[in-house]
Every structure is written in C-alpha cells, then in structure tokens.
Amino acid sequence: MGNGVRAGPVEFQRDVEPVTARIPAEDNQERKKVLNSLISGALAGAVAKTAVAPLDRTKIMFQVSSKRFSAKEAYRLIYHTYLNEGFWSLWRGNSATMVRVIPYAAIQFCAHEEYKQLLGNYYGFQGKALTPFPRFIAGSLAGTTAAMVTYPLDMVRARMAVTPKEMYSSIVHVFIRISREEGLKTLYRGFTPTILGVIPYAGLSFFTYETLKKVHAEHSGKAQPSPPERLLFGACAGLIGQSASYPLDVVRRRMQTAGVLGHTYSSILLTMQEIVREEGLVRGLYKGLSMNWVKGPIAVGISFTTFDLTQILLRKLQHGPAVER
C-alpha cells in the first residue's frame, strides 16, 4: 500500500507538468504572431501611401469637384500646386493619411491573418490555403474591421487634401472645427459607402493576391514568389479591387467634403443621382479611375510586398534564417 500511495503523486505530477508548461509557450507564440502582423501591416501601409501621396491627393481633388478628369488636367493640377504652394504641398494631408493608414493597415493585415486562421479552423483547412469563398470573406472582414475602427481619420485626411493650408493648421484643428461647426456626426459622414466599398475592395484584393501566390506555387514549384513577382501580384490585386469599388469611393469623398465645398449630400443614392445628373455616369462616378489604375496597383503592390517581406524578416530574426513564410 505504501508503494501505491507514493506512486500516485509521482504519476500525477508527470501528467500535469507538460500541460502547464505548454500553454504559456503557445500563448507567447500567438502574441508574437499578432505583433509581427501589426508591425508588418503598419510599415506596409506607411510605405505604400507615402509613395503615391501626390497622385492620391490629385485624385481626391478631382473626385470632389465637377471638373472633367484627364491626364493632361491631372498633370496641370499637380504642376500648378507645385508652383503655387511648393513641392511638399503635394504631400499635404499625408500626415493625416499616416495617422489613419498606419493603424488601418496594421489592423487590416493582422485581422486578415486572424480571420484566415479562424475560417481555416471552421472549414477544416488548418495549415492549408483557403478555398476561394473563405479567401474572399477573410479579406472583406479584415477591411471592414479596419475601416470601422479608423474611419474618422479618413474623414480628416480627405478634408485636409481638398482645403488650403490656411483653413486647417493641423489634424487636431480639423477635428475641433468639424466638431464645433458641423457636429460630431460629420466625422462619420460617408461611412456607409465606405463600408459598402471596402467589402468588394478588400475582399477582391486579398483574394486576388492570395490566389496568384497559390497558383504561382503550384505551377512554378517554388514555395515563395520573388519580390518582383509579389509586386506584380499585388498590382493585379489593386487593379481588380479598386475598379470594382471605385464609384462608392467617389460617393464617399463627396459626402466627406460636402461641408467645405457647399454641397448637401444626404444619402448614397441621392449623391449618386446628383453626380450622374450633373456629370454623367462614367465621367462622374468613374472620375479619376484612370489615375487610380496607375496609383492603386503601385500602392497595393508595395503594400502586400512590404507586408510579406517584413513578416519573413521578423520571423528570421526571431527563429533563425531557416524560417520562411
């Protein structure tokens, strides 16, 4: 009996100790994964948006005006802005963009990784590439999550892009003036078209990029695409995603800037109707799309590539050179 009593605690300790030691290690690994995604996403957004900021500002200025868009007019606007306000004015509003895009991109990319894992577990694809429908859903959910959290910052950035620097001296000043003169609800004006536009945009962008990487791996035999190939896949993703959601982007910008441009857009449908009536279907709702076909693929390509390469770098730093995404 004495031997039996002594054997019980020893056996119990042997069973319990591995369990209690394993849980903190798994939690620590998950925290590292989330942190890596947040850092990589933040850097990806900042690099991509800064690279195309002058084109982005020009696109917004056309979107919120009734001027007819053309490459010649876009060049003229950029040149006149440079002459009248200086070289760095081409990046006006980029500080507000960074304040928005860094958390937006960090949340979007991190959320996408988490949604991929959740959907993979749900559909039984643990450790494998998702099938097309879950792949689209993961991207849409990631974009929606990021947009909901950071929308007021997008509103502020649009205001700074279309107003002279004398009107708003800083990001904080935009928030104060809008809140005081137009009400706090104004910070969410254009929110509905934003979410409706983000669903196809983010869904198709992530879907296209992930699909092209999967197809590349199957046909090339290489586990990972090269950086130029990543840029190309990201450019295709941006082209498809932005083309699908562009009219809602125009509506969003009109509603965001209505308070400073003398318009009173009250709903998505009324805004669309007014734009089509005054400017036509294609020239109104697709104004600036050709510039987006230059700007968008560059930005999205840089964004996806920066995210992937930063993820790989961080993992190598943490686990050694053998680790690949």
Side-chain angles (χ1 to χ4, degrees):
M1 178 184 288
N3 289 340
V5 171
R6 284 193 302 271
V10 172
E11 189 66 32
F12 177 76
Q13 291 294 330
R14 190 164 57 243
D15 289 340
V16 170
E17 283 177 1
V19 175
T20 56
R22 185 171 66 248
I23 292 172
E26 289 177 353
D27 288 347
N28 189 47
Q29 194 66 28
E30 183 63 26
R31 282 196 297 268
K32 280 184 179 179
K33 178 187 170 187
V34 170
L35 183 60
N36 285 355
S37 295
L38 288 170
I39 293 171
S40 302
L43 183 61
V47 172
K49 278 296 185 181
T50 300
V52 297
L55 293 176
D56 209 21
R57 185 188 179 200
T58 303
K59 182 202 74 172
I60 292 173
M61 291 175 78
F62 273 101
Q63 283 182 327
V64 302
S65 74
S66 58
K67 286 183 180 179
R68 184 177 174 181
F69 177 83
S70 69
K72 183 178 179 181
E73 287 298 319
Y75 169 76
R76 185 178 295 170
L77 178 59
I78 292 172
Y79 184 63
H80 283 184
T81 302
Y82 163 70
L83 287 181
N84 297 329
E85 301 179 40
F87 177 73
W88 294 112
S89 68
L90 297 174
W91 275 264
R92 174 164 170 71
N94 196 51
S95 58
T97 300
M98 289 300 101
V99 170
R100 168 192 168 265
V101 83
I102 288 174
Y104 180 92
I107 293 168
Q108 179 176 239
F109 278 105
C110 182
H112 182 246
E113 295 296 305
E114 295 302 309
Y115 285 130
K116 278 200 304 183
Q117 183 174 318
L118 286 171
L119 289 168
N121 293 338
Y122 180 79
Y123 285 103
F125 300 124
Q126 295 96 327
K128 300 177 183 177
L130 295 174
T131 52
F133 181 68
R135 207 177 300 155
F136 175 82
I137 293 299
S140 295
L141 288 173
T144 302
T145 301
M148 289 175 69
V149 174
T150 62
Y151 184 77
L153 295 169
D154 186 49
M155 170 74 169
V156 168
R157 173 254 185 156
R159 284 291 181 94
M160 291 189 75
V162 301
T163 55
K165 56 187 177 182
E166 295 81 15
M167 187 166 184
Y168 298 118
S169 59
S170 67
I171 298 169
V172 175
H173 188 211
V174 183
F175 274 110
I176 292 171
R177 282 197 62 174
I178 289 177
S179 302
R180 184 182 299 157
E181 298 173 9
E182 303 173 53
L184 285 171
K185 286 177 65 176
T186 303
L187 292 173
Y188 281 87
R189 182 180 291 158
F191 178 72
T192 303
T194 296
I195 295 301
L196 292 176
V198 156
I199 291 170
Y201 170 68
L204 286 170
S205 295
F206 280 106
F207 169 82
T208 303
Y209 185 69
E210 295 285 325
T211 299
L212 288 174
K213 285 205 303 183
K214 183 173 180 291
V215 170
H216 173 271
E218 290 171 352
H219 286 79
S220 69
K222 295 190 294 184
Q224 296 295 330
S226 65
E229 287 169 335
R230 290 181 195 272
L231 279 170
L232 179 61
F233 298 163
C236 292
L239 187 67
I240 293 170
Q242 293 192 344
S243 297
S245 61
Y246 195 78
L248 286 165
D249 190 44
V250 174
V251 171
R252 168 176 64 122
R253 293 302 183 201
R254 292 292 180 97
M255 294 180 76
Q256 285 177 336
T257 58
V260 293
L261 296 177
H263 293 283
T264 53
Y265 300 121
S266 57
S267 70
I268 298 172
L269 286 177
L270 289 176
T271 304
M272 280 188 167
Q273 287 174 2
E274 186 169 334
I275 293 170
V276 171
R277 185 175 63 250
E278 293 180 357
E279 304 166 48
L281 178 64
V282 175
R283 290 178 182 173
L285 292 179
Y286 289 90
K287 180 185 291 182
L289 178 59
S290 56
M291 177 175 286
N292 239 38
W293 284 342
V294 175
K295 177 194 77 71
I298 293 172
V300 178
I302 291 172
S303 182
F304 277 123
T305 303
T306 303
F307 177 78
D308 278 358
L309 296 182
T310 306
Q311 283 273 78
I312 291 170
L313 175 62
L314 289 173
R315 289 178 181 181
K316 282 181 177 178
L317 290 174
Q318 291 169 356
H319 302 291
V323 176
E324 279 287 320
R325 180 178 169 135

